[in-house]
Amino acid sequence: MIRTATPADVPVLHTLIRELAEYERALDEVRATEDQLTQALFGEHPAAHAHLAVDDTTGEVVGYAVWFLNFSTWRGVQGIYLEDLYVRPAARGGGHGKALLTALAHLCVTRGYQRLEWSVLNWNTPSIAFYESLGARPQDEWTVYRLTDEALVKVSRMTPHRMGTAQ
């Protein structure tokens, strides 16, 4: 079963996020707190959304998807960017990952969004095989770049900038 996360789910969601980071060999990079997740998902202006995969037999949350809306200037419409998709190892193969992606694809189609996009680590061959089995194709002509931490601060200070609003 797939359901929308509620504020009461934040502790288990935070645990799952940490499990994903450990799987991706980056647990030391997780800085998000439960309070931050609560604000991001359920605050006055939510920045992201979450769906949970729940085992039908036990009622245990076994996976999650966190996503947010993006926009394609070429298509002229919004889409979904899937930030995280994770299913606990013991629950893999039970259809939970497929159900999460199906739910997001359904949201795209019913809301008129024309893209569902995400990134996957190059070494994560089980996930790559899974995504490709569903018809997803890598966008290998694009390379993701990221500024964080000191580099982000350094670039922010390079050039004087002015941000204003149109009158």
Side-chain angles (χ1 to χ4, degrees):
M1 176 178 78
I2 303 302
R3 66 174 175 80
T4 303
T6 68
D9 295 314
V10 169
V12 71
L13 183 58
H14 189 258
T15 298
L16 291 167
I17 289 168
R18 293 182 58 78
E19 288 178 20
L20 171 62
E22 186 171 23
Y23 173 76
E24 292 184 349
R25 306 170 191 152
L27 182 57
D28 60 321
E29 294 181 35
V30 176
R31 297 180 187 162
T33 66
E34 289 183 19
D35 288 340
Q36 288 174 313
L37 289 174
T38 299
Q39 283 304 307
L41 297 170
F42 306 107
E44 187 175 344
H45 301 288
H49 309 276
H51 283 76
L52 302 177
V54 180
D55 184 282
D56 291 333
T57 307
T58 66
E60 177 189 4
V61 175
V62 295
Y64 76 98
V66 169
W67 59 275
F68 55 88
L69 294 177
N70 60 14
F71 181 78
S72 169
T73 57
W74 290 13
R75 298 270 178 135
V77 297
Q78 291 177 309
I80 287 178
Y81 185 84
L82 176 59
E83 179 66 20
D84 288 348
L85 175 71
Y86 176 73
V87 175
R88 287 184 158 150
R92 292 182 188 156
H96 303 292
K98 184 176 182 179
L100 285 162
L101 279 174
T102 299
L104 296 182
H106 181 75
L107 277 176
C108 285
V109 171
T110 58
R111 294 181 182 179
Y113 306 155
Q114 294 184 12
R115 289 184 179 166
L116 173 54
E117 297 179 309
W118 61 92
S119 297
V120 61
L121 292 165
N122 292 332
W123 59 260
N124 193 346
T125 54
S127 293
I128 292 168
F130 166 64
Y131 297 142
E132 290 184 356
S133 76
L134 296 176
R137 295 294 169 250
Q139 301 298 301
D140 55 11
E141 66 273 13
W142 295 91
T143 300
V144 176
Y145 283 85
R146 178 179 295 155
L147 285 171
T148 59
D149 303 325
E150 296 83 25
L152 180 63
V153 172
K154 181 180 176 183
V155 170
S156 77
R157 295 177 179 158
M158 284 183 169
T159 306
H161 56 279
R162 294 178 190 241
M163 291 183 62
T165 57
Q167 298 291 331

